[in-house]
Amino acid sequence: MNNLNTLYKEKETTKKTVEKNNASSDLIHVGFAQVGAESDWRLAQTQSMKQTFSESNGYKLDFVDCNNDQKTQINAIQEFIDNGVEYIILDPIVEDGYDTVLTNAKNANIPVIIVDRNTKADESLYTCWVGSDFVKEGLDAADWLSGYLEANGRSSEIINIVTIQGTLGSSAQSGRTKGFNASLSSHPNWNMLDEQSGDFTEEGGYAVMKAFINQYPDIDVVICQNDNEAYGAIDAMKENNLSFGPNGDIIVIAFDATKGGFQRMIDGEIHVDIECNPLEGPLVAELIQKLKKGENVDKIQYVKEEVFPAETAADIIDSRVY
Ligand code: AHR
């Protein structure tokens, strides 16, 4: 009887182990090295990824918030490789410096999907990239400004501009800067007074705008490379009793078009918000499913994005998901 009991117990244990193994081996193991949690946009992107790569959708997600530190991010990717994840998702904090770790992933035969920001690493080192056309976003901001000034009879006025940039060296910062600044040569009356990084944070936007206000008495336009920087810049302008927004003096341009950004447009604080779409989870999952079936995927895929001037905000805000 004792022997029978032992045998029965052993069988139960084996069954449980197999069930557990089956359960975990059915899940697709994905590692995501996220930039950090610097902005509302970033939180929306994290949520999109976590919701998509859930166990109920068939995934086991290893998520690392890299706190805007590239070393942490490279270590996270190396750990994913060492742990044998099946797919790596990387949102590179900056463009340079990922070659070695991406080579390690390639040598381990782990496909790497890059999202949002891009890297300057050789294209052969990653499977594909999904994200925003940051240069186009910058060009869109310049086109909007040009149209706005023309509509207000100011197209030949001297226009003093300051830019609160995002994290230096990130493709979101370099692309938006490149796109907007490409328009300066065709607008000789646009005067870029200064460009400083606010690191895509509200505190950064506040500190940089405060310094700009102290240094430049005649600012016509502030370009904030994300919504959170715009919120900080708005606080600095309020503190200094400056008039801004669609019914004021200083023109405020922001990027991201989060729900918060829409609310600020409705509140008369931001003139225009250039969309940057963080809802990349479903698209990345589609890519993983295709790769799993051995299908080819496009190397580069842009997400759809629009320009939202303040006058459209009230009609659109309720349909915003992030
Ligand atoms: O890389 C996308 C940018 O990073 C978003 O504009 C910003 O909000 C985020 O922090």
Side-chain angles (χ1 to χ4, degrees), residues 17 29 36 63 95 104 131 141-142 156 184 210 223 227 245 303:
T17 312
H29 194 179
F63 175 87
E95 291 177 301
N104 295 347
S156 40
L184 293 176
K210 209 172 149 180
I223 300 172
D227 279 344
V303 288

PDB file of all heavy atoms in Angstrom, residues 17 29 36 63 95 104 131 141-142 156 184 210 223 227 245 303:
ATOM      1  N   THR A  17       4.253  18.614 -12.979  1.00  0.00           N
ATOM      2  CA  THR A  17       5.410  19.242 -13.607  1.00  0.00           C
ATOM      3  C   THR A  17       5.163  19.409 -15.102  1.00  0.00           C
ATOM      4  O   THR A  17       5.409  20.462 -15.669  1.00  0.00           O
ATOM      5  CB  THR A  17       6.661  18.362 -13.387  1.00  0.00           C
ATOM      6  OG1 THR A  17       6.693  18.018 -12.031  1.00  0.00           O
ATOM      7  CG2 THR A  17       7.916  19.084 -13.798  1.00  0.00           C
ATOM      8  N   HIS A  29       7.910  33.648 -24.906  1.00  0.00           N
ATOM      9  CA  HIS A  29       8.700  34.400 -23.928  1.00  0.00           C
ATOM     10  C   HIS A  29       9.326  35.642 -24.597  1.00  0.00           C
ATOM     11  O   HIS A  29      10.140  35.519 -25.510  1.00  0.00           O
ATOM     12  CB  HIS A  29       9.789  33.470 -23.371  1.00  0.00           C
ATOM     13  CG  HIS A  29      10.447  33.983 -22.143  1.00  0.00           C
ATOM     14  ND1 HIS A  29      11.429  33.290 -21.476  1.00  0.00           N
ATOM     15  CD2 HIS A  29      10.262  35.128 -21.436  1.00  0.00           C
ATOM     16  CE1 HIS A  29      11.817  33.983 -20.432  1.00  0.00           C
ATOM     17  NE2 HIS A  29      11.129  35.101 -20.379  1.00  0.00           N
ATOM     18  N   GLY A  36      12.006  54.021 -19.830  1.00  0.00           N
ATOM     19  CA  GLY A  36      11.818  54.486 -18.447  1.00  0.00           C
ATOM     20  C   GLY A  36      10.365  54.846 -18.235  1.00  0.00           C
ATOM     21  O   GLY A  36       9.483  54.197 -18.806  1.00  0.00           O
ATOM     22  N   PHE A  63       9.649  42.427 -18.318  1.00  0.00           N
ATOM     23  CA  PHE A  63       9.647  43.875 -18.561  1.00  0.00           C
ATOM     24  C   PHE A  63      10.698  44.543 -17.691  1.00  0.00           C
ATOM     25  O   PHE A  63      10.737  44.326 -16.483  1.00  0.00           O
ATOM     26  CB  PHE A  63       8.251  44.434 -18.221  1.00  0.00           C
ATOM     27  CG  PHE A  63       8.164  45.929 -18.312  1.00  0.00           C
ATOM     28  CD1 PHE A  63       7.874  46.547 -19.527  1.00  0.00           C
ATOM     29  CD2 PHE A  63       8.372  46.725 -17.193  1.00  0.00           C
ATOM     30  CE1 PHE A  63       7.795  47.940 -19.616  1.00  0.00           C
ATOM     31  CE2 PHE A  63       8.298  48.111 -17.277  1.00  0.00           C
ATOM     32  CZ  PHE A  63       8.005  48.716 -18.491  1.00  0.00           C
ATOM     33  N   GLU A  95      20.564  56.736 -29.720  1.00  0.00           N
ATOM     34  CA  GLU A  95      20.756  56.033 -31.002  1.00  0.00           C
ATOM     35  C   GLU A  95      22.026  55.175 -31.036  1.00  0.00           C
ATOM     36  O   GLU A  95      22.060  54.147 -31.706  1.00  0.00           O
ATOM     37  CB  GLU A  95      20.820  57.061 -32.142  1.00  0.00           C
ATOM     38  CG  GLU A  95      19.481  57.752 -32.392  1.00  0.00           C
ATOM     39  CD  GLU A  95      19.567  58.808 -33.474  1.00  0.00           C
ATOM     40  OE1 GLU A  95      20.367  59.749 -33.322  1.00  0.00           O
ATOM     41  OE2 GLU A  95      18.850  58.708 -34.462  1.00  0.00           O
ATOM     42  N   ASN A 104      25.283  40.126 -29.906  1.00  0.00           N
ATOM     43  CA  ASN A 104      25.099  38.956 -29.021  1.00  0.00           C
ATOM     44  C   ASN A 104      23.723  38.323 -29.227  1.00  0.00           C
ATOM     45  O   ASN A 104      23.585  37.101 -29.253  1.00  0.00           O
ATOM     46  CB  ASN A 104      25.240  39.366 -27.544  1.00  0.00           C
ATOM     47  CG  ASN A 104      26.641  39.835 -27.224  1.00  0.00           C
ATOM     48  OD1 ASN A 104      27.561  39.641 -28.021  1.00  0.00           O
ATOM     49  ND2 ASN A 104      26.819  40.466 -26.064  1.00  0.00           N
ATOM     50  N   GLY A 131       7.858  52.355 -35.451  1.00  0.00           N
ATOM     51  CA  GLY A 131       7.820  53.584 -34.653  1.00  0.00           C
ATOM     52  C   GLY A 131       7.397  54.793 -35.441  1.00  0.00           C
ATOM     53  O   GLY A 131       6.750  54.680 -36.490  1.00  0.00           O
ATOM     54  N   ALA A 141       5.518  70.266 -37.599  1.00  0.00           N
ATOM     55  CA  ALA A 141       5.440  71.392 -36.658  1.00  0.00           C
ATOM     56  C   ALA A 141       5.778  72.691 -37.394  1.00  0.00           C
ATOM     57  O   ALA A 141       5.096  73.711 -37.226  1.00  0.00           O
ATOM     58  CB  ALA A 141       6.399  71.168 -35.496  1.00  0.00           C
ATOM     59  N   ALA A 142       6.817  72.639 -38.226  1.00  0.00           N
ATOM     60  CA  ALA A 142       7.225  73.842 -38.972  1.00  0.00           C
ATOM     61  C   ALA A 142       6.143  74.248 -39.973  1.00  0.00           C
ATOM     62  O   ALA A 142       5.833  75.433 -40.115  1.00  0.00           O
ATOM     63  CB  ALA A 142       8.545  73.584 -39.690  1.00  0.00           C
ATOM     64  N   SER A 156       5.948  87.807 -42.360  1.00  0.00           N
ATOM     65  CA  SER A 156       7.252  88.445 -42.595  1.00  0.00           C
ATOM     66  C   SER A 156       7.829  89.088 -41.327  1.00  0.00           C
ATOM     67  O   SER A 156       8.858  89.755 -41.376  1.00  0.00           O
ATOM     68  CB  SER A 156       7.173  89.439 -43.761  1.00  0.00           C
ATOM     69  OG  SER A 156       5.965  90.142 -43.701  1.00  0.00           O
ATOM     70  N   LEU A 184      14.200  76.232 -41.305  1.00  0.00           N
ATOM     71  CA  LEU A 184      14.714  77.568 -40.953  1.00  0.00           C
ATOM     72  C   LEU A 184      15.268  78.301 -42.172  1.00  0.00           C
ATOM     73  O   LEU A 184      15.101  79.507 -42.310  1.00  0.00           O
ATOM     74  CB  LEU A 184      15.789  77.461 -39.859  1.00  0.00           C
ATOM     75  CG  LEU A 184      15.289  76.986 -38.484  1.00  0.00           C
ATOM     76  CD1 LEU A 184      16.449  76.827 -37.505  1.00  0.00           C
ATOM     77  CD2 LEU A 184      14.247  77.963 -37.920  1.00  0.00           C
ATOM     78  N   LYS A 210      12.417  78.316 -17.713  1.00  0.00           N
ATOM     79  CA  LYS A 210      12.744  79.363 -16.742  1.00  0.00           C
ATOM     80  C   LYS A 210      14.044  80.067 -17.164  1.00  0.00           C
ATOM     81  O   LYS A 210      14.144  81.291 -17.165  1.00  0.00           O
ATOM     82  CB  LYS A 210      12.931  78.691 -15.372  1.00  0.00           C
ATOM     83  CG  LYS A 210      12.598  79.570 -14.220  1.00  0.00           C
ATOM     84  CD  LYS A 210      12.607  78.801 -12.931  1.00  0.00           C
ATOM     85  CE  LYS A 210      13.032  79.770 -11.846  1.00  0.00           C
ATOM     86  NZ  LYS A 210      13.095  79.177 -10.547  1.00  0.00           N
ATOM     87  N   ILE A 223       8.988  75.658 -28.655  1.00  0.00           N
ATOM     88  CA  ILE A 223       8.727  74.302 -29.146  1.00  0.00           C
ATOM     89  C   ILE A 223       9.107  73.342 -28.024  1.00  0.00           C
ATOM     90  O   ILE A 223      10.255  73.340 -27.570  1.00  0.00           O
ATOM     91  CB  ILE A 223       9.578  73.999 -30.400  1.00  0.00           C
ATOM     92  CG1 ILE A 223       9.243  75.003 -31.506  1.00  0.00           C
ATOM     93  CG2 ILE A 223       9.340  72.572 -30.884  1.00  0.00           C
ATOM     94  CD1 ILE A 223      10.174  74.905 -32.695  1.00  0.00           C
ATOM     95  N   ASP A 227       4.737  66.555 -24.552  1.00  0.00           N
ATOM     96  CA  ASP A 227       3.685  67.218 -23.771  1.00  0.00           C
ATOM     97  C   ASP A 227       4.155  67.569 -22.368  1.00  0.00           C
ATOM     98  O   ASP A 227       3.872  68.658 -21.863  1.00  0.00           O
ATOM     99  CB  ASP A 227       2.446  66.308 -23.675  1.00  0.00           C
ATOM    100  CG  ASP A 227       1.586  66.374 -24.930  1.00  0.00           C
ATOM    101  OD1 ASP A 227       1.753  67.320 -25.725  1.00  0.00           O
ATOM    102  OD2 ASP A 227       0.748  65.467 -25.127  1.00  0.00           O
ATOM    103  N   GLY A 245      -0.311  80.853 -25.355  1.00  0.00           N
ATOM    104  CA  GLY A 245      -1.493  80.093 -25.778  1.00  0.00           C
ATOM    105  C   GLY A 245      -2.257  80.814 -26.879  1.00  0.00           C
ATOM    106  O   GLY A 245      -1.982  81.982 -27.168  1.00  0.00           O
ATOM    107  N   VAL A 303       4.193  54.106 -37.646  1.00  0.00           N
ATOM    108  CA  VAL A 303       2.828  54.139 -37.121  1.00  0.00           C
ATOM    109  C   VAL A 303       2.132  55.402 -37.655  1.00  0.00           C
ATOM    110  O   VAL A 303       2.799  56.376 -38.005  1.00  0.00           O
ATOM    111  CB  VAL A 303       2.784  54.107 -35.571  1.00  0.00           C
ATOM    112  CG1 VAL A 303       3.158  52.743 -35.038  1.00  0.00           C
ATOM    113  CG2 VAL A 303       3.694  55.164 -34.970  1.00  0.00           C
TER     114      VAL A 303
END
